[in-house]
Amino acid sequence: MASTFGQENPKLTKAIRRVARDSVNVRFPRHALEEMDNDGFDHDDVLTCLRKGTAHGPENNGRCNVVHRGLHIRTAVGGLEDDSDGWAGLTSITVITVMKV
């Protein structure tokens, strides 16, 4: 994928995949739902992205991008805490926005 998503982060990828196994750990604010609808994605598409995609980042604002090539989807995720424990403490995530790539 394009480098504009940031640097791939294998540890964060693993943590997001772990957290997203249970959809109760993934929050979808109104903006994310609107953007999903605009691009024709549903909850299953986003959860697949989180469960199988690759995390890039995080950026300074506690967000990262998760990209899944098969679905041509990018999910911006927030709610990331300090990674001093290798993301082991990550228990929930918030989908900030969703878009086609």
Side-chain angles (χ1 to χ4, degrees):
M1 289 266 82
S3 61
T4 57
F5 297 118
Q7 185 174 1
E8 287 187 21
N9 188 328
K11 288 182 180 181
L12 182 54
T13 296
K14 184 177 178 180
I16 288 173
R17 288 176 179 181
R18 173 183 47 79
V19 170
R21 274 186 279 189
D22 188 345
S23 60
V24 73
N25 299 326
V26 181
R27 185 172 162 262
F28 291 86
R30 182 182 357 226
H31 173 76
L33 295 171
E34 290 169 356
E35 292 303 312
M36 289 164 56
D37 191 46
N38 288 343
D39 283 344
F41 293 118
D42 60 21
H43 283 86
D44 287 338
D45 294 329
V46 174
L47 290 171
T48 297
C49 177
L50 297 172
R51 293 171 181 161
K52 295 183 178 183
T54 302
H56 300 259
E59 300 168 355
N60 292 335
N61 57 7
R63 296 180 181 185
C64 77
N65 292 300
V66 181
V67 181
H68 187 284
R69 294 179 192 210
L71 291 174
H72 305 288
I73 186 174
R74 171 189 156 219
T75 302
V77 174
L80 304 178
E81 301 294 328
D82 177 40
D83 73 339
S84 60
D85 61 358
W87 304 104
L90 188 65
T91 58
S92 65
I93 53 178
T94 301
V95 174
I96 303 299
T97 192
V98 177
M99 64 188 64
K100 290 182 181 181
V101 292

